[in-house]
Amino acid sequence: MSEEAVPEQVEDEEQEDDDDDDEQEALQDATENTLRLKRLLSEDSQDDDAKRRKTNAPRCGPEEAKRADALIIKWDSQKDVVLRHVLEGLELRELEMLETTGYKPDKFNMYKSPADLTAMHVASWREKDSVGGGAVDMIASFRYKWKLGLADDAVLRKLCHKDLRYVFDKYDGEKTLAEVVEEAKVAEPLQGVAVGCMPDAPGSAAVGRFHRLELIDPCADAAVFGDANLTFALNLARHRKALGHVGRVIATTFESLPTLRERYQEIDDTIKILQEHYAEVYHEVDCTAIPSNPKFKGLEGSLGAVYYNFPHAGSVGGFFDGHPCVNWRHENLMRLFFRALRTFVKPGGIVKVASNMGAVGVRFSYITGGAAENEFCHTETVPFLQWSLHRYGRAYGDRRDAYRRPSDGEGYNVQRAEKDMVYTFRYEPSGKTLGPQPFRLPPTLATLMACEDGPFANQAVGEPRKKLAIQLHKRFVMEVSGVHVG
């Protein structure tokens, strides 16, 4: 071995050690998130008092607990266990908002409980300061990120494609927007990449075509999560083949193959066609726990595009998706999904999550918020029907698919196609170590037993209610462990 080769070998070994450390951190993080949720769910369900005291942990900080207690007293709701659960799960700024605005839930509402009303009120307040759930083009998203004004919007919309791309890439708040625009005008067009084409085209129209036509990195792998009948993955595989891409399509389902065969008679044919397009198909994949999934070993930092269409944590009979006893599952789904992706998406890679802007299960703010917490920067929200990949066989993703599909005219309640959106993000890691992933507080067994909504509304107090609460509690524990129910 030559002397010149030694430093290079040492450098390679150091890089491998760093990669191994990152993998171990991701695995530890995914495992810890699951254990934290299990502990919070099970803290009052231990049979042994000593075990219960050992597993019990404060459900919120001392200041949050103080303010939650004050609101409970102010609203004269000391006996409302579910409302207390909602308040204990709020951030300090959200509790302060409830105090300062004088909000008080309507105890006599015919349709919603005080806990439900309070949770909805806080979610709506939180969304007022967000990028919004409707269509947002790249310029509007860029303006929101950097807090630019309407005058800046007018400047950006006059730029050509080359100059607008330059501003998107180079502006960091250190220089004025006008200075970066002047630099863009003298910059050379990018060569050999798709984003460098048509440099003189109107910028706003040109950049908007990329996410609609799905012009992604041709060499990077693309992963699809939660694709119940695999028709979207097949659509993507055909699209990439037509464009001459060499990157793989990794198609995943949450259910096992035997379950899929019960629901979708065509599933084996679909898998065969996917494999003919050199796609890889994995079953029983929990998208919130992929760092601990051996099927994804070796894929770290390789994904240039990720897709998750119409995410849902599963319906719970008798409850509306927005009820606080079940809605925490939907919010945590998005938070843990984006945290898990950090290990596998390459810097600059895109993530697309399609959902209805009016969804009350996975609200749009859960998607954008979970992304922001994990350094996935929102770049655009595209109307679903304008997306070139929107024509595929939608499915419910549960046992209903065995006898009906949304494409058969069976649509989703209170959701209309024109309200479907594709929320698009770009991974921009800062290099900093993130703290533990925040998530919405799950209900304890005592909270479920005190609930008077949904399936508990017609249950007599006593053993029947306790039996139903234990059954639901066990389901939640199974779900956070990655076991699909429904």
Side-chain angles (χ1 to χ4, degrees):
M1 182 184 297
S2 65
E3 292 182 5
E4 289 80 1
V6 174
E8 184 176 343
Q9 180 182 356
V10 172
E11 186 175 323
D12 290 341
E13 290 175 352
E14 290 177 350
Q15 182 63 46
E16 289 178 6
D17 290 340
D18 290 341
D19 292 342
D20 290 340
D21 290 342
D22 291 342
E23 291 174 26
Q24 288 301 317
E25 284 182 18
L27 176 59
Q28 183 177 353
D29 191 40
T31 304
E32 179 59 25
N33 286 331
T34 300
L35 292 175
R36 285 166 61 205
L37 276 171
K38 280 186 176 181
R39 283 196 295 268
L40 288 167
L41 272 167
S42 306
E43 64 180 16
D44 66 344
S45 62
Q46 298 283 353
D47 294 330
D48 185 85
D49 288 341
K51 288 183 179 180
R52 189 184 300 117
R53 285 193 298 271
K54 186 176 180 180
T55 56
N56 278 9
R59 294 181 68 78
C60 58
E63 184 63 27
E64 288 85 351
K66 179 181 176 181
R67 292 177 183 267
D69 288 339
L71 287 170
I72 287 289
I73 294 172
K74 180 180 179 180
W75 296 342
D76 192 23
S77 301
Q78 289 90 331
K79 295 182 179 180
D80 195 330
V81 178
V82 181
L83 178 58
R84 178 175 291 278
H85 159 69
V86 170
L87 294 177
E88 287 179 344
L90 298 181
E91 297 176 9
L92 185 58
R93 66 187 184 95
E94 295 166 342
L95 291 166
E96 290 173 347
M97 178 275 296
L98 293 175
E99 286 182 336
T100 56
T101 59
Y103 171 78
K104 184 177 182 180
D106 180 7
K107 290 185 178 181
F108 305 102
N109 188 289
M110 295 177 59
Y111 307 104
K112 302 285 186 182
S113 66
D116 205 346
L117 291 170
T118 302
M120 290 175 58
H121 179 77
V122 173
S124 298
W125 173 81
R126 192 188 307 124
E127 290 168 355
K128 287 181 180 178
D129 293 328
S130 72
V131 70
V136 179
D137 68 13
M138 292 185 70
I139 292 177
S141 179
F142 181 78
R143 275 185 52 219
Y144 175 82
K145 175 182 178 181
W146 295 106
K147 310 302 180 190
L148 301 176
L150 290 176
D152 298 316
D153 184 272
V155 171
L156 292 169
R157 294 189 185 279
K158 292 178 182 178
L159 298 179
C160 66
H161 184 206
K162 173 184 75 72
D163 295 352
L164 186 58
R165 288 280 182 191
Y166 184 94
V167 173
F168 283 167
D169 290 340
K170 302 297 183 182
Y171 183 79
D172 58 5
E174 295 294 325
K175 297 181 180 179
T176 66
L177 181 64
E179 290 175 324
V180 180
V181 168
E182 289 303 314
E183 291 177 3
K185 291 178 180 179
V186 297
E188 292 295 323
L190 296 173
Q191 301 293 329
V193 290
V195 293
C197 69
M198 301 183 67
D200 297 323
S204 178
V207 296
R209 300 295 288 168
F210 277 77
H211 289 151
R212 287 164 174 78
L213 294 176
E214 210 54 31
L215 302 179
I216 60 177
D217 186 340
C219 300
D221 296 334
V224 182
F225 291 99
D227 192 10
N229 58 6
L230 295 173
T231 53
F232 177 81
L234 180 56
N235 200 11
L236 177 63
R238 286 169 169 163
H239 171 78
R240 300 200 75 184
K241 181 179 180 181
L243 294 180
H245 289 191
V246 296
R248 295 173 297 173
V249 170
I250 300 166
T252 75
T253 69
F254 193 62
E255 298 81 3
S256 65
L257 184 56
T259 300
L260 295 175
R261 284 173 173 154
E262 292 176 3
R263 297 176 182 173
Y264 315 106
Q265 296 180 356
E266 72 281 8
I267 194 67
D268 287 315
D269 293 334
T270 304
I271 293 173
K272 181 180 178 182
I273 299 172
L274 276 167
Q275 291 172 341
E276 289 173 353
H277 284 73
Y278 303 103
E280 297 182 14
V281 182
Y282 301 143
H283 304 293
E284 299 181 84
V285 173
D286 179 357
C287 66
T288 68
I290 52 176
S292 60
N293 191 324
K295 296 169 184 174
F296 284 78
K297 179 71 174 177
L299 294 178
E300 294 80 6
S302 70
L303 301 181
V306 173
Y307 305 86
Y308 193 0
N309 291 336
F310 302 95
H312 196 272
S315 58
V316 178
F319 279 117
F320 289 109
D321 286 341
H323 193 280
C325 281
V326 297
N327 188 254
W328 61 275
R329 299 152 59 248
H330 300 288
E331 183 171 1
N332 291 341
L333 172 63
M334 288 293 94
R335 286 177 145 177
L336 297 177
F337 167 67
F338 280 104
R339 175 55 65 99
L341 289 184
R342 287 177 54 84
T343 307
F344 299 93
V345 178
K346 60 191 296 187
I350 65 166
V351 177
K352 294 192 174 184
V353 180
S355 186
N356 191 278
M357 62 181 289
V360 295
V362 177
R363 301 177 71 103
F364 77 83
S365 58
Y366 297 169
I367 301 171
T368 56
E373 287 175 349
N374 290 289
E375 302 184 322
F376 289 86
C377 179
H378 178 265
T379 57
E380 188 172 16
T381 301
V382 177
F384 183 76
L385 295 178
Q386 295 181 15
W387 192 24
S388 61
L389 299 181
H390 81 272
R391 293 184 179 89
Y392 69 97
R394 292 272 300 273
Y396 291 107
D398 55 34
R399 58 174 64 95
R400 288 175 293 176
D401 287 326
Y403 55 89
R404 68 181 185 187
R405 308 283 176 86
S407 56
D408 298 332
E410 296 284 351
Y412 292 87
N413 293 334
V414 303
Q415 293 190 14
R416 302 170 65 180
E418 63 268 24
K419 300 292 186 180
D420 290 341
M421 299 289 158
V422 183
Y423 300 95
T424 306
F425 308 91
R426 187 173 187 266
Y427 185 38
E428 299 179 355
S430 63
K432 299 177 182 177
T433 300
L434 300 187
Q437 173 62 56
F439 46 65
R440 189 61 59 190
L441 209 60
T444 61
L445 180 58
T447 302
L448 293 174
M449 290 177 63
C451 181
E452 298 180 353
D453 304 321
F456 295 97
N458 299 317
Q459 288 287 344
V461 177
E463 197 61 33
R465 181 183 290 269
K466 181 178 179 181
K467 183 178 179 181
L468 180 58
I470 292 174
Q471 181 182 355
L472 190 56
H473 184 266
K474 286 182 178 179
R475 170 179 172 167
F476 291 163
V477 173
M478 289 173 64
E479 286 179 345
V480 299
S481 302
V483 179
H484 185 49
V485 180

